[in-house]
Amino acid sequence: MNLTPGKLWGLRRMADARGIFKMTAVDQRPPIKGPIARHLGLAEAPWGEVARFKRMLIEELQAQSTAMLLDPHYAIPHGIDGLSPEKGLIVTLEDSVYQETPGGRLSTDIDDWSVEKIKRMGGDAVKVLAWYRPDADPAVCTAQQDYVKRIGEACRRYDIPFLFELLVYPLAADAHQTKDYVEMKAKRADHVLGSVSEFAKADYGVDVFKLESPVNAAEADGSKGVQALFDELGRLAGRPWVMLSAGAGKAEFRNVLAHAFRAGASGFLAGRAIWLDAFHHYPDWDRIRTELAGASASYMTEISALADAEAADWRRHPVYGHRGAAFAPADASFRHAYATMGG
């Protein structure tokens, strides 16, 4: 598989010179807005408070990040001028407010936001999270599949990488209920694997998967059985993939990464595992900054070193063949056909 020039360029911008993704997520909304609102006794977190924290994350964590994931609500308007142009820029598209139906969750885009706008503002990649359960109501599954296909088509049209995140979630009949952006308790590995198998199909247009562990992070114990599940995760993905942290603790996420890298993952795109401990000090801004520059940065150094030692170069993924990731136009007539390339 050859990459179009825009997708190749964006993917290169997101990784380091060795083809490893060390990416930090700053696009979280409910996990930041909720604690701030509760601390202040308000129904809604003040825009300035949320935006201030996100800018601080950019300022303190970008040095060790190959790319940062920003949202158009807070991080971009208040922090993009603080992001080094040497870093990759991933921009989120999905709204954090989803529709909960009796048959499952339905995703939507942020209002007045699009793949076209992300490309126009200089984004290197589009990120979308979709909640998915293979055993959800068939109509819900179809709606989620159609949603992702539309985004994949738009990313092809505007020649920008599509970074797709999947999370399973509790259905109405499940014992463990949560609406938070956290790892589902008692999740089943077959639901995680089945979701990846569906969206690995070519018509979704996914370039990089951002995946959760097939087992709860606390169960990533180094055993052969758990490793076999991670190996299957990588096989089903069929393209470069990275791990998300889903609110796991530092030690747990490190163990997840060890499994993932052995299974062929090319790095990580994580947020709360890196910065949540510092955020617990809100509203002591000085202490937050000190911990971000200290413990959070040290943790980034630790998991980056693990990635350097064990993660797979995304450019050498088998999906690209023996030549590796490349753009190979037939001849100089490339410019004439480019308007329809990939779409």
Side-chain angles (χ1 to χ4, degrees):
M1 184 179 79
N2 291 322
L3 290 165
T4 50
K7 287 181 178 283
L8 177 61
W9 188 256
L11 289 166
R12 290 175 63 196
R13 290 267 303 152
M14 293 157 57
D16 65 15
R18 297 178 58 251
I20 307 301
F21 299 110
K22 305 166 186 172
M23 306 180 289
T24 304
V26 185
D27 73 322
Q28 292 85 354
R29 284 146 287 170
I32 296 175
K33 292 164 60 179
I36 290 176
R38 287 191 293 271
H39 180 86
L40 298 177
L42 300 172
E44 184 74 17
W47 185 90
E49 293 293 280
V50 179
R52 180 178 181 180
F53 178 60
K54 286 176 178 268
R55 183 175 182 104
M56 193 174 290
L57 291 176
I58 293 170
E59 292 172 344
E60 297 299 333
L61 299 178
Q62 66 176 302
Q64 296 182 75
S65 305
T66 59
M68 301 200 87
L69 169 58
L70 308 186
D71 67 277
H73 292 292
Y74 305 94
I76 290 172
H78 191 59
I80 195 169
D81 60 326
L83 179 65
S84 168
E86 296 179 355
K87 303 298 177 180
L89 172 60
I90 311 162
V91 183
T92 195
L93 177 63
E94 91 285 344
D95 200 331
S96 62
V97 180
Y98 50 83
Q99 182 182 355
E100 192 84 72
T101 76
R105 294 180 183 175
L106 297 172
S107 300
T108 59
D109 292 346
I110 295 169
D111 62 301
D112 204 21
W113 197 236
S114 65
V115 171
E116 180 183 8
K117 287 188 175 183
I118 292 172
K119 178 74 172 185
R120 195 174 85 184
M121 65 160 283
D124 294 305
V126 173
K127 170 262 177 181
V128 168
L129 178 154
W131 302 93
Y132 194 78
R133 281 279 294 266
D135 58 336
D137 185 280
V140 170
C141 289
T142 297
Q144 291 296 84
Q145 292 162 11
D146 290 343
Y147 172 71
V148 177
K149 285 178 183 176
R150 289 195 298 271
I151 296 165
E153 291 167 359
C155 289
R156 281 191 289 266
R157 185 178 312 119
Y158 294 103
D159 201 11
I160 186 170
F162 179 16
L163 192 157
F164 182 52
E165 175 179 0
L166 273 168
L167 282 176
V168 299
Y169 62 95
L171 297 176
D174 289 323
H176 300 284
Q177 291 294 318
T178 179
K179 295 183 181 295
D180 294 331
Y181 280 67
V182 294
E183 184 176 59
M184 176 186 167
K185 292 182 179 179
K187 67 180 175 183
R188 288 171 43 178
D190 61 324
H191 289 160
V192 176
L193 297 174
S195 299
V196 175
S197 178
E198 172 62 37
F199 291 100
K201 297 173 182 175
D203 50 351
Y204 292 104
V206 174
D207 296 297
V208 179
F209 273 116
K210 178 187 179 189
L211 299 177
E212 65 177 314
S213 166
V215 300
N216 287 107
E219 299 171 9
D221 56 6
S223 66
K224 290 182 179 180
V226 170
Q227 187 59 49
L229 292 172
F230 276 87
D231 292 344
E232 182 66 0
L233 189 73
R235 186 190 70 80
L236 290 171
R239 58 186 44 70
W241 55 290
V242 298
M243 290 306 300
L244 59 87
S245 60
K250 286 180 166 60
E252 293 173 337
F253 186 54
R254 187 190 312 110
N255 293 339
V256 166
L257 288 178
H259 278 291
F261 295 156
R262 287 195 289 271
S266 292
F268 56 84
L269 174 49
R272 282 168 288 173
I274 298 168
W275 51 254
L276 185 58
D277 289 347
F279 183 49
H280 286 155
H281 299 303
Y282 177 83
D284 187 337
W285 292 108
D286 289 339
R287 191 171 179 186
I288 292 173
R289 187 179 292 276
T290 296
E291 184 150 341
L292 288 174
S296 296
S298 295
Y299 184 70
M300 279 285 286
T301 297
E302 181 180 347
I303 59 176
S304 294
L306 181 62
D308 285 336
E310 300 184 19
D313 182 341
W314 76 267
R315 300 165 300 183
R316 301 301 172 190
H317 193 281
V319 73
Y320 301 121
H322 72 279
R323 294 177 60 247
F327 166 56
D331 51 41
S333 66
F334 147 74
R335 67 190 187 281
H336 303 304
Y338 182 61
T340 58
M341 287 181 63

